Amino acid sequence: MMVQQLTSPASPLAPSSKRVGGRQGSKAPAGGRGGYQDKCDVFQIRAGVKKTDDPRLDELYAMGMQQYWLDVAEFLGVDAFLGMWRVLDAHRDTMPDAGGRGASMSPTLRPYSNYLKFQKNRFVENLARQGVPPSEIQKRVQTQLCEKISINHIYRLNKKNKIKR
């Protein structure tokens, strides 16, 4: 009986005139939708769910870490945050105390706008060293950095580069 089933024309194992491998004739596609399963949401980020499941974030929260530091830890990753914390702690003697008795450190960090201003000034100085006239520097700062700068400020920044009026 089994031999008959295996050799019947309906059996996939039966000898036939069909070719093998990539030379098989085309079949009609099987019914159904195909594709991914309906419940495949592994790669989707759900609202209200943390980006990382690092339990150390919960520990930092439980020990009373301020929210801005928790945000930094989540952004950098806990390992990088803990490394930064160790570096800051190594320099605690040069930082002001926040509440006396040395219970906490109070590192000072300039506003990010100070960094952007520093970069803008280096941009202006570099253009001046290249011989770009102040009016062109002013235009480039406006178009490339989306900031306004006065011609007088350009002169002040580049006194050492001897820009001529």
Side-chain angles (χ1 to χ4, degrees):
M1 177 79 169
M2 185 132 157
V3 174
Q4 285 179 332
Q5 286 177 346
L6 292 175
T7 58
S8 74
S11 170
L13 300 175
S16 66
S17 62
K18 290 185 181 180
R19 297 182 175 172
V20 296
R23 297 179 300 239
Q24 293 181 3
S26 63
K27 295 183 192 178
R33 295 176 26 210
Y36 293 107
Q37 298 175 357
D38 290 336
K39 290 289 185 180
C40 186
D41 63 352
V42 175
F43 297 108
Q44 300 202 359
I45 298 173
R46 294 177 291 279
V49 176
K50 282 192 254 181
K51 297 174 198 165
T52 178
D53 291 329
D54 195 326
R56 295 174 295 175
L57 276 174
D58 296 329
E59 292 172 348
L60 293 172
Y61 175 79
M63 67 182 278
M65 186 74 65
Q66 292 91 346
Q67 185 60 46
Y68 56 87
W69 286 122
L70 295 171
D71 293 343
V72 170
E74 187 172 14
F75 179 79
L76 295 177
V78 178
D79 290 322
F81 176 77
L82 292 174
M84 179 198 69
W85 194 359
R86 276 193 311 270
V87 169
L88 291 173
D89 189 56
H91 295 282
R92 73 179 310 146
D93 294 338
T94 60
M95 287 184 212
D97 287 337
R101 294 187 302 164
S104 66
M105 299 179 297
S106 182
T108 55
L109 186 61
R110 293 170 142 182
Y112 189 71
S113 61
N114 284 34
Y115 175 73
L116 296 176
K117 183 178 179 180
F118 178 83
Q119 291 298 320
K120 176 185 71 175
N121 291 345
R122 297 303 79 77
F123 179 69
V124 168
E125 291 169 1
N126 190 25
L127 290 174
R129 270 193 294 278
Q130 294 174 18
V132 178
S135 60
E136 179 63 24
I137 291 173
Q138 187 180 38
K139 287 178 191 173
R140 288 189 190 184
V141 168
Q142 176 65 43
T143 58
Q144 294 178 14
L145 303 180
C146 300
E147 289 194 34
K148 292 185 179 186
I149 187 170
S150 72
I151 297 290
N152 285 335
H153 187 65
I154 294 170
Y155 287 128
R156 275 193 306 271
L157 283 174
N158 296 295
K159 252 185 179 179
K160 61 187 169 205
N161 295 321
K162 297 182 180 147
I163 297 177
K164 296 182 172 71
R165 289 186 173 233

